[in-house]
Structures are given as C-alpha cells and as structure tokens.
DNA sequence: CCTCCCGAAATGAACGTTCATTCTTTTACC
DNA sequence: GGTAAAAGAATGAACGTTCATTTCGGGAGG
C-alpha cells in the first residue's frame, strides 16, 4: 500500500474510523491510537489532516478503478460492458463496506464537491466509463440525455442499494445484484 | 412557519447556513448572527444544536410532503402517479435549492441514518409513495425487487440530477425533467 | 400622565471541552 | 555518540453551551 509500516497503519486507521464515525468522529488523537503511533508522528508522514484524508481517497480511487478494469470485456457490446462495470461496482462495494462508507462520506463533503467540480470541468479527463457512455450516445444505443444524467441513472441506484445492503435494509445476492444492474440498463437504454 | 419571529429567523438562518456550508460550517455563533439574535437566545427556543437541526428537518419534511400531495392524481394509473411524484420532486428541489441542500446534508449524516433506520423498521409507517409501490408490486406492474431497491432506482437518479442542476453541471428544463422521470420509470417497470 | 416595578426576553462575555497542530524530550539504531 | 524517528505533553483556536446582567413592555399606584 504505502512505503512504510507506520504510514500504512495511519492510512488504514483513518479509513476505518472515518468510515465508521464520519469526519467529525475521527480526531487525530483517535487515528493515532488506532494506528498504534503517537499523535505527533502522523505529521511526519502527512502535512495536515486534509492531506491525509485526500491521500486515503486517492488510494481508494486507484484500487477501485483497478477492480473495475480487471476482466473488463474490452471489445464487447456496450450493454455487456455496462453490465460488467455495474456488477463489479456493486460487488466491490459490498465486499469492502468500510471503503464504501469512506467514499460516501468523502463524496458528501466539501472535499467531494471540490473533487467533482474539478473532474467535471477538466474536460480532457477521459476514463473508461465516460468513454463507454460517449460511444453509446454516439451510436444511439442509450437515451439522448446529458452525461451527468446518464451517470445518475446508471450508478445512483447502484450506490443506493450498496448502502441499503451495508445498513441491512436489504440482502443482496448475486442474482439480485444482476437484476438491479439490468434495471439500471433499462433506465438508460433507448 | 413558527410561533414567533425570532424562532422563525433562527430556523431560517440554520437552514441557509447548513445548506451552504454544511453542519461543520454552521457554528451557533454564526447562526445567531445571521438570525439577528444573540447566541444565548437560541437556547431559549431550542434545547441544543441537535434539537434545532432536527426541527429544521421536520419542518422541511412536512413542506415537501405537502408539495407532493398537491394535485396528486389519486385514482390514476400507477405510471401516471409515479410520473407526478417524480416531476413534483425534481421541480420542488430545484426550485428550493437551499432546502434541497439541507436535506442532502441531513441525509448523509448520523442524523439521517438514524432517521432512515427508524423509518425502515417502523413497518406501520405507510406514506403515499410506499402505498404506490406496494400496489404496483402486487399488480405485477413493476419489477419484483425489494422496496428499498425500487426506491433507489426510482428516486436516486432524480436526486442526483437535482444536485447536478444546482451545481450547474447540467441545466434542467421541464422537458428534460420529464424525460429523466420517464427513464426512472423504465428502470422499475416490468 | 408620570413613575416605579416586575417578570419575561434577550444579551454577549465567559467557560469548559475538544481538536489539529507544534515542540521539546526521549528512544533506537548505526 | 550522533542522528533520524517517535513520542506525548503543550498550545492555541474554535466550538457548544451557560449565566450573570441588561433591556423591554406594560400594569399598578400615586
């Protein structure tokens, strides 16, 4: 994960505590305790709490994209590629609930809004998912809606069911996940 | 709204500041200043900050349900009733961005999770939307999925596009709203 | 009509706590 | 024994909340 043991322990502790208690419930003293280091030690590895949190986020973002790209059916039809991404997304999230909760916390916070804004206005940022949707739009395979709306239709509900599963409002199994991802496809397909 | 001028001013100030800056960015001193009262005065009307925030939430919740129920086509087919609710939801949210942002903040916080949990496990809580979905499920009009999943598919994307609109990532007009609500219908309909 | 007084309402400085961050001291290794 | 790493007490800022004090409005007494 990271270069040294202690650095890794601090990242892990931050991830866990923020996921469980939110940013408010994650004072540096507690992070230090959980990581098995002294409070001051954190500042040998991270400039500030903000820097620490952003680093945790980028670490998770990388892991997540790596998961999506594994076994990605490159040349397959749009629908199949979408089903792959959706399925991996949900399975990854419910398999790593702490990471999911952290990302959710991050997303709904000043950090997340800033990150979104940057992503959105930095037009030459082309990830796989954007590529896929652009292609599908061009080929008339999906509804002619703005990209952010398609993203919302496609992935909003998937994140919702992940949260519901983690909070034990529903119990997802492979079959239910597939049916939900297909429902999302129904939402965007023309 | 409330019984007295000052009480109302405090609620309004809390709503505005929390919507704009989040819970962290809304210290009582700032709320007091914006409401035009002294810090101590707030505690004549509210027991604590938590009590204040919960009161703001319940106030908004009421207003929101009132909006949905206005012109609700009681006897109409399921699809039509759903389109009504979806359309009103989106139009209400983008017409009251501060209220929307507050509710979003609330939802993604310990307050919101507690509220959700209570709603979910209090089974005899029957609102219009739950009624509608239960009826549709029974009649086989929508996909046979758990209620929370249907909720996510139906309303998750709508809240997403409201946020995107308020953050100026997209520009919603009546026609685009309708198409998005219909896309959500496609997601849940059998 | 003026004055005094009373209780409720409002004030804002002060308090205690919590937090991120800093800094001096101690440890551990070469 | 010297140097980099780690420790944890110290610091100061920010916060929610409290409370001694002031302000306000109006009713009673002269």
């Amino acid at each position: 994960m990271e270069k040294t043991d202690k650095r890794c322990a601090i990242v892990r502790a931050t991830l866990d505590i923020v996921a469980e208690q939110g940013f408010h419930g994650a004072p540096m003293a507690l992070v230090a305790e959980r990581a098995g280091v002294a409070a001051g030690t954190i500042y040998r590895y991270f400039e500030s709490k903000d820097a620490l949190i952003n680093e945790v986020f980028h670490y998770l973002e990388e892991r997540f994209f790596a998961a999506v790209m594994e076994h990605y059916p490159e040349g397959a039809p749009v629908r199949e590629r979408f089903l792959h991404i959706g399925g991996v997304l949900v399975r990854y999230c419910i398999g790593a609930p702490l990471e999911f909760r952290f990302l959710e916390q991050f997303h709904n916070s000043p950090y997340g809004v800033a990150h979104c804004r940057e992503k959105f206005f930095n037009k030459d940022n082309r990830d796989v998912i954007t590529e896929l949707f652009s292609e599908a739009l061009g080929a008339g395979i999906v509804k002619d809606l703005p990209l952010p709306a398609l993203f919302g239709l496609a992935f909003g509900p998937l994140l919702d069911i992940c949260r519901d599963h983690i909070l034990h409002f529903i119990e997802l199994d492979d079959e239910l996940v597939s049916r939900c991802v297909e429902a999302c496809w129904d939402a965007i397909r023309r």
Side-chain angles (χ1 to χ4, degrees), chain A residues 3 5-6 8 21 38 46 55 85 96 102 111 120-121 180 187:
Chain A
K3 279 158 284 186
D5 262 12
K6 289 209 196 287
C8 168
Q21 332 240 20
F46 303 95
E55 190 139 335
I85 291 175
F102 179 95
Y111 301 110
F120 180 73
F121 287 111
C180 286

Side-chain angles (χ1 to χ4, degrees), chain A residues 23 103-113:
Chain A
F23 291 114
L103 289 172
E104 234 192 359
Q105 301 275 352
F106 188 89
H107 194 72
N108 299 290
S109 74
Y111 301 110
V113 173

